[in-house]
Amino acid sequence: MFKNIAFRNLFPLIIMEISIVLVLFFLVFLLPSIHSSSNEFAKSEFENHLSLLQGRINAILGRDELMVRQDIFYTQLDPKMKAVFLLDDSNTILFSHRGIFEGKNISEIDYDFSPEIITSVMKTGDSIVELSQTRQAALGYAGLIINSADQRELYTLLVVKDYSSLQVNIVRLALFPAMLIFGALVFFSVAANWLIRKKFNVQFIPLMNATKELQQGIKNVQVPIKGRDEFASLSRSFNSMTAELSSQAKALEDAKTTAESASAAKSEFLTNMSHEFRTPLTGIIGFLDLLEEENKDPSIEHYIKTANLSAHTLLELINDLLDFSRLEAGQVEVSKASFDLNKLVQDIQAALEPQTLSKSVKVVSNLLPEQHSFINHDQKLLRQCIVNLVGNAIKFTDKGSVRIIMDATPDENGKAEYKIEIIDTGVGISSEGQARLFNRFERVHDTSQIYAQGTGLGLAICAQIAEIIEGHLSVTSSLGEGSAFTLTFDAAIAKQHQKLATTPAFDPGPSQKSLVIAAVDDNAINRMLVTQFIEKWGAKALLFECGEDIIDYAKAEDSVVPDLVLMDINMPGLNGVETQQVLRTECPAYDTLPIIALTANAIKGDREEYIAAGLTDYISKPIDVDKLYFAFGKYTNL
């Protein structure tokens, strides 16, 4: 029973309650009984004493008055005797413990004597004891009868005795063992409580400390197990729980490490694939651009444009894969700036217009009021979303139109809710297809149809962009009746006619002075392409196959210091970042020379990383000729 924790904790309290109950029982039930017993005992003792006194005085009464007085005197010397009276048959006091009462009637004395009892005992010679509650005294009545030859004399002996002291002593005698028992029980309960709590603390404090350690993140906390009681069982359960938690935490840590490794591997894979895809596309698109510009034969112009469009379509597919991966990984942040939404839509319309040339499809759009067209938002994300939606509409529409309808609902706080609808007259989408339309890698049309081209990521990217910009993308469609995609978002209205930063287009032509532009690239096709761009701009091209080559050249005494360096990043041996660091530290002439990263690495954060590493600027492949020539002019002061 003492192994039970609850019982052990309650045991001292139980002892205390038992003690209190016993004391109350004593006070309520036993004390009155003791009081009554003490009264009976006092009465019995007094009756014996009164009988002896009655017999003694009865023997000498009438023969020796002096002895009667002496007997009464000695009787009242007892400290418990309060008064002694001897009455005649008229209730007149003949003798008393004090002479002042003699000659008076007993009724004049305030001792609560009963006249009826006095008359009764006087006639019968009996003795009666009566207890007076008002005076805490015993009243003794004793009849005295003296018979002589010629007459019969009647007397009454009255004695008043104090019995309160006797009751107090009896009660004290009764209370002493009760209080002794009560004190012993209280002491035992306190001692038991101390011992139990001491043992409780020995077992509980380690468990409490272990719980705090567990809360602080300390793994696999164990507590010592003592005994075989419930605390021991609780400690075993606690140890088992912490061991299981530690095991789960390790499993989660391993899973996290695995996931991080997988994510890192995925990012590395995407980076490598982006580079590997963009490297050949750089040559394809670049030479197609050059071929299209220099072509004078109208019969092959269509072939060149078709090849160029196909190459750009492939580039868009690659960008879709990379963009979706960035969106899925949460690596895309909203970067707001002021721009003209009307111009953005017009530029998109113009860029996608060539896709309609082989179809009977017309792309039309409306313009927002000028006071609502300038907004503060992420132009890049909106462009990507609208391009995907409009391009998708053109893809699935063979005849009719693709309409871009814009609307703005301003509020009083300088903001507006913008709605862009892309409505086509194409094949439409079934209700079953709409349910999975925004799922990644999903195509809602028959894969045997000509429409089933692309990654199946375009609309999934649009849906994620809408979520990132805190907007909403929805679709309404009926099979065979076209579709309507609606993008809604909130944006702050920017100041009208605000000039927006754009990249000026540079027309290639002779430079104003003889410039030398170095290009470092391990890909021969890219070196050939860059050479064409440099020479068309009017500068001289200086080509290097790797980082070590340009370093050796820069250290040569008779080498010509170029005006600008185009640096590929992914190269065998020293990469582009390492190469520019060596050039700047070991070749004084290259310390402040503009060195621009020209790379197929186009993952988010690459630009910032390269510039932070010391490169002057960044241009991604495939090469945008306008951006390239703008950089030439900016960093050669032309």
Side-chain angles (χ1 to χ4, degrees):
M1 184 165 56
F2 276 90
K3 291 182 178 180
N4 185 280
I5 296 175
F7 179 80
R8 288 210 313 259
N9 289 333
L10 292 175
F11 181 70
L13 183 61
I14 293 171
I15 296 298
M16 290 289 291
E17 290 179 348
I18 291 175
S19 303
I20 294 172
V21 169
L22 288 175
V23 171
L24 291 176
F25 178 78
F26 175 80
L27 293 175
V28 175
F29 297 102
L30 296 182
L31 194 59
S33 177
I34 293 172
H35 185 269
S36 177
S37 299
S38 66
N39 288 343
E40 293 299 325
F41 178 77
K43 183 177 180 181
S44 175
E45 182 190 36
F46 189 29
E47 285 177 347
N48 292 335
H49 191 182
L50 184 61
S51 295
L52 293 174
L53 184 61
Q54 177 188 18
R56 192 167 59 248
I57 292 178
N58 195 62
I60 61 175
L61 187 62
R63 295 195 297 274
D64 191 339
E65 182 179 330
L66 181 60
M67 287 185 67
V68 172
R69 286 183 178 275
Q70 288 179 348
D71 210 344
I72 291 174
F73 176 75
Y74 287 122
T75 298
Q76 65 90 27
L77 288 178
D78 187 344
K80 296 178 182 179
M81 295 297 180
K82 300 179 71 174
V84 181
F85 302 97
L86 181 64
L87 310 180
D88 61 11
D89 55 0
S90 63
N91 292 339
T92 300
I93 300 173
L94 299 177
F95 304 109
S96 71
H97 62 294
R98 294 179 183 178
I100 59 174
F101 294 117
E102 293 177 0
K104 294 184 178 181
N105 193 283
I106 193 63
S107 59
E108 300 177 27
I109 307 302
D110 186 21
Y111 272 108
D112 300 330
F113 289 112
S114 172
E116 291 79 8
I117 298 177
I118 292 174
T119 302
S120 174
V121 299
M122 186 181 295
K123 292 179 179 179
T124 61
D126 295 333
S127 62
I128 296 176
V129 172
E130 180 186 43
L131 298 179
S132 174
Q133 298 297 331
T134 58
R135 290 185 173 273
Q136 291 290 301
L139 304 179
Y141 302 83
L144 302 175
I145 301 174
I146 301 175
N147 295 314
S148 60
D150 54 349
Q151 63 179 358
R152 186 171 181 256
E153 297 178 4
L154 302 176
Y155 300 92
T156 304
L157 180 65
L158 301 178
V159 180
V160 181
K161 185 177 183 179
D162 182 14
Y163 71 88
S164 60
S165 60
L166 176 64
Q167 286 182 322
V168 170
N169 289 335
I170 292 174
V171 171
R172 284 176 181 173
L173 289 173
L175 281 176
F176 178 74
M179 296 306 295
L180 186 63
I181 294 172
F182 177 74
L185 289 173
V186 170
F187 174 78
F188 178 73
S189 65
V190 172
N193 181 62
W194 181 78
L195 291 173
I196 290 171
R197 285 189 175 276
K198 182 178 180 182
K199 186 175 181 181
F200 179 84
N201 289 338
V202 168
Q203 294 176 310
F204 178 73
I205 290 177
L207 186 62
M208 181 179 66
N209 293 336
T211 304
K212 290 181 179 178
E213 292 177 4
L214 187 65
Q215 188 178 13
Q216 293 170 358
I218 301 175
K219 300 175 182 177
N220 200 18
V221 181
Q222 298 287 294
V223 295
I225 300 174
K226 299 178 181 180
R228 298 181 179 179
D229 56 8
E230 283 83 353
F231 261 119
S233 178
L234 181 61
S235 298
R236 289 190 191 93
S237 299
F238 181 84
N239 290 343
S240 176
M241 178 191 70
T242 55
E244 180 66 23
L245 287 175
S246 178
S247 175
Q248 292 179 0
K250 187 177 183 306
L252 288 174
E253 190 69 28
D254 293 342
K256 179 184 176 184
T257 302
T258 302
E260 289 174 347
S261 299
S263 178
K266 176 182 175 182
S267 297
E268 184 178 358
F269 172 79
L270 289 172
T271 301
N272 292 336
M273 287 300 99
S274 170
H275 181 271
E276 295 304 319
F277 283 132
R278 286 172 180 272
T279 297
L281 277 175
T282 300
I284 295 171
I285 293 175
F287 281 110
L288 284 172
D289 286 340
L290 290 172
L291 188 59
E292 186 176 354
E293 181 181 340
E294 296 183 1
N295 175 54
K296 306 298 182 182
D297 186 352
S299 63
I300 64 171
E301 181 180 355
H302 176 69
Y303 300 140
I304 296 172
K305 288 184 176 180
T306 301
N308 206 346
L309 179 61
S310 298
H312 279 88
T313 301
L314 179 58
L315 180 61
E316 288 176 6
L317 295 177
I318 296 171
N319 289 337
D320 279 353
L321 285 169
L322 296 175
D323 289 340
F324 183 78
S325 298
R326 288 197 294 266
L327 289 167
E328 192 179 43
Q331 297 175 348
V332 175
E333 297 178 356
V334 177
S335 179
K336 294 183 178 181
S338 297
F339 65 94
D340 186 353
L341 186 58
N342 283 339
K343 185 176 185 307
L344 173 65
V345 171
Q346 287 175 328
D347 290 346
I348 292 172
Q349 181 179 345
L352 296 178
E353 197 85 45
Q355 297 182 19
T356 67
L357 296 178
S358 62
K359 301 180 177 185
S360 300
V361 177
K362 187 176 182 180
V363 179
V364 295
S365 63
N366 72 316
L367 295 179
L368 289 169
E370 193 173 278
Q371 65 269 26
H372 298 152
S373 67
F374 287 84
I375 67 173
N376 187 49
H377 214 289
D378 193 312
Q379 182 176 3
K380 182 179 178 182
L381 290 178
L382 283 176
R383 177 192 297 275
Q384 186 175 6
C385 185
I386 297 171
V387 165
N388 280 345
L389 292 174
V390 176
N392 210 56
I394 295 173
K395 181 194 302 183
F396 293 100
T397 303
D398 288 332
K399 59 181 179 179
S401 65
V402 173
R403 292 179 294 156
I404 307 172
I405 301 175
M406 296 185 290
D407 185 37
T409 306
D411 60 19
E412 298 177 353
N413 300 317
K415 294 182 179 181
E417 181 187 53
Y418 288 87
K419 181 169 71 172
I420 301 176
E421 290 184 281
I422 292 88
I423 305 172
D424 64 62
T425 57
V427 295
I429 308 167
S430 66
S431 56
E432 185 273 333
Q434 292 177 43
R436 51 191 178 88
L437 185 63
F438 298 114
N439 295 342
R440 55 184 181 176
F441 303 110
E442 286 276 1
R443 297 191 186 97
V444 299
H445 297 93
D446 186 356
T447 56
S448 65
Q449 297 181 19
I450 192 173
Y451 307 119
Q453 53 181 313
T455 59
L457 287 174
L459 293 179
I461 291 173
C462 291
Q464 287 200 313
I465 290 176
E467 183 178 346
I468 290 172
I469 65 174
E470 297 181 351
H472 180 68
L473 178 63
S474 61
V475 60
T476 57
S477 181
S478 296
L479 198 60
E481 297 181 5
S483 304
F485 288 84
T486 303
L487 173 67
T488 58
F489 59 93
D490 293 333
I493 301 174
K495 292 182 179 179
Q496 299 181 31
H497 308 298
Q498 183 172 351
K499 287 202 170 185
L500 306 173
T502 59
T503 302
F506 277 78
D507 292 328
S511 61
Q512 296 180 10
K513 62 179 180 177
S514 178
L515 297 176
V516 177
I517 298 176
V520 186
D521 200 309
D522 63 314
N523 187 283
I525 296 177
N526 287 343
R527 290 197 303 272
M528 188 187 307
L529 178 64
V530 171
T531 299
Q532 294 296 319
F533 287 144
I534 293 173
E535 291 177 351
K536 283 181 70 65
W537 195 69
K540 180 182 177 181
L542 191 61
L543 304 178
F544 300 95
E545 190 175 344
C546 63
E548 287 84 356
D549 288 351
I550 190 173
I551 292 172
D552 292 339
Y553 172 82
K555 290 181 178 180
E557 293 183 1
D558 57 346
S559 64
V560 176
V561 178
D563 297 280
L564 184 146
V565 177
L566 298 177
M567 183 72 68
D568 187 23
I569 297 298
N570 288 13
M571 297 183 294
L574 292 176
N575 63 35
V577 174
E578 295 168 342
T579 300
Q580 68 89 22
Q581 289 174 343
V582 173
L583 287 173
R584 295 195 189 284
T585 55
E586 298 183 11
C587 305
Y590 289 75
D591 182 29
T592 58
L593 191 73
I595 302 177
I596 300 174
L598 185 62
T599 176
N601 294 343
I603 301 295
K604 177 180 172 61
D606 286 344
R607 174 188 177 86
E608 292 75 11
E609 179 185 346
Y610 299 146
I611 293 177
L615 288 157
T616 308
D617 207 339
Y618 164 94
I619 298 175
S620 66
K621 298 175 183 177
I623 301 170
D624 184 321
V625 179
D626 285 342
K627 288 184 178 179
L628 182 66
Y629 287 160
F630 176 76
F632 286 173
K634 177 180 179 181
Y635 293 110
T636 58
N637 297 319
L638 288 182

